[in-house]
Amino acid sequence: LANANFLSASNTPIMEAMVRVPATPNQSYSTSLIWLGLAEARNSVANAATEPLSNAAYFRVVDGNPWEAVTFSRGKGTISQLDITAKNNRFIKLRIEVSSSTVNFVANDKIVAIHSTTTPVGLMQPVMNVGSTGTGGKHIFDIHRVRFWWNPFTSQSVPN
């Protein structure tokens, strides 16, 4: 690998995180955006309220609505609404598996979305951002652990 911090879809990058959005966040905010997944390095921005719109695969929560699965490739995107409540005080295991032809979104070991028309290209890295507008700047998102690996390992070969 030229740079192990940035992987292409041909390396089959996989990111997994245990996350929780509190039902009653310790913050007064009017809008919020939480996203975590894999994105091109150039998508890393200083403004956490801005999500990547090119070469990325990630889960997101907008304003406390249910989780969504998102992919972008060459400026075109696919968004899947998931039947997963975000603000429920429970940790959820979210995993993204990227290959050259598909992106699998997995929640608590079950595939919840598959995207094949906007598979990211380019070098990606794990990214997590929380952005909000309002007052406070306090607790709105918990992360228990984050794991990142790539081919030849598969989700079946990594212990839970």
Side-chain angles (χ1 to χ4, degrees), residues 67-88:
W67 285 97
E68 296 175 326
V70 181
T71 53
F72 275 97
S73 177
R74 297 182 177 109
K76 295 183 180 180
T78 302
I79 300 171
S80 297
Q81 302 282 334
L82 305 178
D83 190 22
I84 303 170
T85 302
K87 294 167 66 172
N88 65 7

Side-chain angles (χ1 to χ4, degrees), residues 101-113:
S101 59
T102 60
V103 177
N104 291 335
F105 291 89
V106 182
N108 289 335
D109 299 320
K110 292 185 174 103
I111 294 178
V112 294

Side-chain angles (χ1 to χ4, degrees), residues 121-140:
V121 297
L123 298 177
M124 295 173 288
Q125 65 183 356
V127 181
M128 289 173 276
N129 273 315
V130 177
S132 64
T133 60
T135 60
K138 298 179 183 173
H139 174 220
I140 63 171

